Structure formats: C-alpha cells, structure tokens
Amino acid sequence: MNNSSASLIRKVFAKVLTLIFFGLAVVIVLSLLLHIVEGILNKSNITEVFLSSINTGIIALAVFELALIINKEYSGPIEDDKKDAVASLRETLPRFIGTVCVALSLEGLIMVIKYSQLDLAGNLYYPVAIIISTALLLSALGLFVYLTDKRS
C-alpha cells in the first residue's frame, strides 16, 4: 500500500467517524431537549430534570469535541516529518481531557447534591471517588503538558 492510498483511507475513515460522532452529538442534544420538554409537561421535579439535562449536555459536548479532534487530526495530510506524535497529542489532548474533566466533576457534584437531597449520605463515597479521579486526571494532564514542554 503506497502513501497516497493510505492517506485516502485515513481521510475516508476520519470523515466517516467525524460524521458519526457529529450525528451522535446532535441526537444526544435532541434527546436532551425532549427530556426537558417531557419533564416540564409531566410536571416532574424541575431541578432533577435540569440536573440530568446538564449531564446529557456535557456528554454531547464531549462527543462533539471528539468529532472535532478526529476531523482535525486525521482528515489532513499525513505529516510524519513535520510533527511527532507527542506534539500532536499536546495540541489535542488538553482540550478533550478538559471536557472530560468538566463532565466528571459536574457528575460528581450533581451526585453530591442528589444524595444530599435524598438523605443518602452513606453513598457519598461514589461522587467523592469521581471527583478525586477527576483531580488525578487533571493532574496527570498537567504533568504531561509540563514534561512535554519543549523549553524543558
């Protein structure tokens, strides 16, 4: 397989996966809007409806970010000589990991609120574990960025 056919296959797969993830993000957002409308029409607890909607919105954002990263990284020409793998990761990884960290921290905070409202203080281990894991993930990202800095 020569370089041009490999590049064509890479671009086709990147475009297909980008479209799939963009489509999933749209479906998740539509599901989010439907959930909000159903909650309002059924006169559900509006706080609970909006808290679960925040989770769904953050998941949609993460899927959208993944589609953007795939499109940016894999749709263009293969630049093995110009950019190494670490430089490529250093550009895309912080944005995606940042989105994941926001999603995880919101999930943990929403669980804390939910368990506090339901007097389930014994279950607070789960959201605390999520929040600690998020802090570790963010710290690992910071360490990665620090260690891959060209000025070091």
Side-chain angles (χ1 to χ4, degrees):
M1 184 184 302
N2 61 15
N3 204 14
S4 65
S5 63
S7 178
L8 177 65
I9 291 171
R10 175 183 161 125
K11 284 181 183 180
V12 168
F13 270 98
K15 291 298 181 188
V16 168
L17 288 172
T18 299
L19 287 174
I20 288 171
F21 284 119
F22 276 142
L24 284 173
V26 168
V27 168
I28 293 169
V29 168
L30 292 175
S31 170
L32 162 78
L33 295 173
L34 182 65
H35 178 70
I36 291 172
V37 170
E38 282 180 359
I40 292 171
L41 292 177
N42 294 337
K43 297 182 181 177
S44 301
N45 182 353
I46 199 73
T47 305
E48 199 169 301
V49 169
F50 283 122
L51 287 178
S52 66
S53 297
I54 290 171
N55 287 344
T56 306
I58 294 297
I59 291 168
L61 179 63
V63 172
F64 179 76
E65 282 288 330
L66 184 60
L68 289 176
I69 289 169
I70 290 171
N71 189 44
K72 180 182 177 196
E73 285 299 311
Y74 298 106
S75 292
I78 300 175
E79 301 174 356
D80 291 337
D81 298 334
K82 296 179 183 175
K83 192 190 299 184
D84 63 350
V86 173
S88 177
L89 281 174
R90 199 165 194 287
E91 287 180 8
T92 57
L93 201 60
R95 193 163 124 185
F96 182 71
I97 295 295
T99 304
V100 170
C101 285
V102 167
L104 287 172
S105 61
L106 280 174
E107 179 68 25
L109 292 173
I110 288 169
M111 286 176 74
V112 166
I113 292 167
K114 187 183 294 185
Y115 289 163
S116 296
Q117 288 176 345
L118 299 174
D119 291 330
L120 297 172
N123 293 335
L124 287 176
Y125 296 112
Y126 304 114
V128 168
I130 290 172
I131 293 169
I132 290 172
S133 299
T134 304
L136 290 173
L137 180 62
L138 198 56
S139 299
L141 176 65
L143 183 64
F144 171 78
V145 169
Y146 174 77
L147 292 175
T148 58
D149 188 15
K150 297 226 186 259
R151 294 179 291 159
S152 304

